[in-house]
Amino acid sequence: MKNQYLLTGGLLGLLSMASPVFGQNYEQIAKQIVNTSAGVKPGELVMITGGQHTLPLMEAVAVEVARAGGQPRMLVNTDKVAHATTVEIPESAIQTSKSNSWTLGADVLISLPSIDDPKAVSAGFTEERQAKFAQVAADGGINRKVDATKLRGVSVAYPSRSFAANEQLDYPSYEQMIWAGIGADYTAISTQAQQLKQRLATGKKVHITSPTGTDLTFQLAARPVFVDDGVVTAADQQEKMYLSRAAALPGGRVYVTCEETSGMGRLAASPSTWNAKPFKGFKADFKSGQMANAKADMGDEDFQKWLALRDASSMKIGYFSIGLNPAMKGQKDYTPSTAAGMVLVGIGGNELQGGQNKGATGANFPIANATVEVDGAVIVRNGQLVSPATAKAAPVSKKNRK
């Protein structure tokens, strides 16, 4: 969903309406975001974006940026405004967001979730409108523009009661997991990520299987491999591609694009959500990289509407990722991509990730309990990361090839 923001000066009124998460030391978290993850330096312009519900942490981040000598600027969204700028705005007025120029002119972007209740905000947001927003964004060339800047970014999660309710999650457990994921041991995660990066950078063929029926192969094609280990290092800041200058909290993921015409086999996704609704039993076939026979047992109507408005570029296999954060766990239909051992397969445009598909949009599908082989060496087995010392070219059990 395309996000719009409100530039605010005095935020006291909104801050009084925001509900702080009990017991969280926002100052400590802000120090981690600003000093460790983003590495803000004196004189840098730092854009801080988020929603009304994230204001306590946004404020703490802005204060820490100032203490580091940076120049903080806050862009705040509300659910009501988000709904208006996506659903109520006249279709003829849909255009590239002018606020992009503010972001592209910054040195650092620290982004928190701009929407508290995705289900309420997306009510009435038709597939036709979604497709138009996506096409306008693609036509605006934002991917090329952001790569051409020196902008670096940190994307920070924030627990939301509305989101937890929509996902049918136990809020205290979900909240605790998010904060634990943000505070994970990123030194250990980085070490593991670099080992996987080396394997994927030199690998050629990936084979993914799962107990639910995934049996999918594709080629890697010597594309850039991205590591999200929660920190944008000084070396990262010099990289040409934006995603190499970006990190997430909770972080912990390694990802790479696929040769777009190489996907063969079947994908059986784990339960997730589509348009903030349950999406279960999804299966699709791939031949020469193109997805076909895609259908879900639950949530298929919305998916088919989405599918009908997309061209062939949106149906091509695009990228895959492996989660590395041990604090992040899948719960019911919630399948965080950063959860250790979680596999994600994406379709559609992958230009920002270093691929050749310039398509306007795409989608991704989680595969829990997957086994992943690279050139015959197992790097994930039954949803568990395999250490490089034990990864070896060995046949996977028949159970996972069903």
Side-chain angles (χ1 to χ4, degrees):
M1 179 177 293
K2 189 177 180 63
N3 295 329
Q4 304 287 335
Y5 299 95
L6 290 176
L7 180 60
T8 66
L11 296 173
L12 293 179
L14 286 175
L15 281 168
S16 67
M17 292 187 290
S19 300
V21 181
F22 178 74
Q24 286 310 316
N25 187 333
Y26 290 117
E27 183 175 354
Q28 180 181 346
I29 296 170
K31 288 180 183 295
Q32 178 184 351
I33 294 169
V34 173
N35 302 319
T36 304
S37 293
V40 173
K41 297 184 283 291
E44 289 190 318
L45 175 60
V46 182
M47 304 299 293
I48 306 162
T49 67
Q52 175 181 321
H53 64 299
T54 70
L55 275 168
L57 183 53
M58 288 180 69
E59 180 188 48
V61 168
V63 169
E64 194 59 38
V65 167
R67 289 172 176 168
Q71 301 175 22
R73 295 293 182 270
M74 296 172 66
L75 294 169
V76 183
N77 202 11
T78 70
D79 284 11
K80 187 173 183 178
V81 172
H83 185 271
T85 53
T86 52
V87 178
E88 300 175 35
I89 187 173
E91 190 167 336
S92 60
I94 296 175
Q95 59 182 304
T96 302
S97 174
K98 292 184 178 180
S99 66
N100 287 344
S101 61
W102 301 341
T103 302
L104 294 174
D107 298 296
V108 182
L109 170 65
I110 298 175
S111 55
L112 283 77
S114 63
I115 295 170
D116 183 21
D117 188 347
K119 188 173 183 178
V121 170
S122 63
F125 191 34
T126 64
E127 294 294 346
E128 289 81 5
R129 275 182 167 259
Q130 291 183 43
K132 183 159 186 177
F133 271 108
Q135 190 60 57
V136 164
D139 292 344
I142 186 64
N143 291 347
R144 295 186 298 275
K145 290 177 181 178
V146 75
D147 277 344
T149 70
K150 292 295 184 181
L151 179 71
R152 62 187 187 275
V154 179
S155 175
V156 185
Y158 192 93
S160 160
R161 290 187 181 276
S162 297
F163 176 82
N166 289 340
E167 298 286 332
Q168 298 183 326
L169 300 175
D170 173 66
Y171 181 74
S173 299
Y174 156 73
E175 178 195 11
Q176 183 179 14
M177 179 184 69
I178 294 296
W179 297 126
I182 288 175
D185 181 354
Y186 286 105
T187 300
I189 288 174
S190 180
T191 299
Q192 194 167 36
Q194 292 300 329
Q195 292 168 343
L196 279 174
K197 178 180 179 178
Q198 181 63 26
R199 173 77 70 173
L200 294 173
T202 58
K204 296 181 179 180
K205 182 180 180 180
V206 175
H207 185 197
I208 304 174
T209 56
S210 74
T212 55
T214 296
D215 192 346
L216 181 66
T217 62
F218 50 82
Q219 303 294 322
L220 290 176
R223 301 280 177 77
V225 181
F226 297 95
V227 167
D228 173 15
D229 54 10
V231 178
V232 183
T233 65
D236 293 337
Q237 293 178 28
Q238 304 307 313
E239 293 286 344
K240 293 182 179 180
M241 301 183 71
Y242 172 72
L243 288 182
S244 293
R245 308 190 301 267
L249 292 172
R253 196 162 68 107
V254 59
Y255 54 104
V256 62
T257 61
C258 321
E259 170 58 51
E260 290 82 4
T261 60
S262 67
M264 298 289 290
R266 165 152 279 217
L267 183 152
S270 299
S272 59
T273 57
W274 189 277
N275 285 347
K277 302 174 186 176
F279 187 63
K280 299 181 180 182
F282 177 81
K283 292 182 173 61
D285 297 320
F286 284 87
K287 184 176 181 180
S288 299
Q290 201 73 22
M291 189 177 73
N293 305 319
K295 185 176 178 60
D297 295 335
M298 181 182 292
D300 190 59
E301 182 178 354
D302 281 359
F303 175 77
Q304 295 300 332
K305 288 179 181 177
W306 179 88
L307 201 64
L309 293 168
R310 268 68 188 181
D311 59 19
S313 68
S314 298
M315 300 303 108
K316 286 185 177 294
I317 195 165
Y319 70 94
F320 95 109
S321 73
I322 299 173
L324 305 173
N325 194 319
M328 300 299 291
K329 308 289 183 183
Q331 301 178 34
K332 295 185 179 179
D333 298 346
Y334 177 61
T335 47
S337 62
T338 53
M342 181 65 69
V343 173
L344 204 72
V345 172
I347 59 172
N350 62 4
E351 183 183 26
L352 187 61
Q353 296 97 333
Q356 297 181 358
N357 187 346
K358 297 182 180 180
T361 188
N364 53 64
F365 306 96
I367 307 173
N369 303 312
T371 293
V372 180
E373 300 171 72
V374 178
D375 297 333
V378 179
I379 59 174
V380 179
R381 188 186 300 276
N382 299 329
Q384 302 296 314
L385 296 166
V386 176
S387 69
T390 57
K392 59 182 180 178
V396 179
S397 67
K398 292 182 179 180
K399 179 181 178 180
N400 280 336
R401 295 186 184 276
K402 291 181 180 179

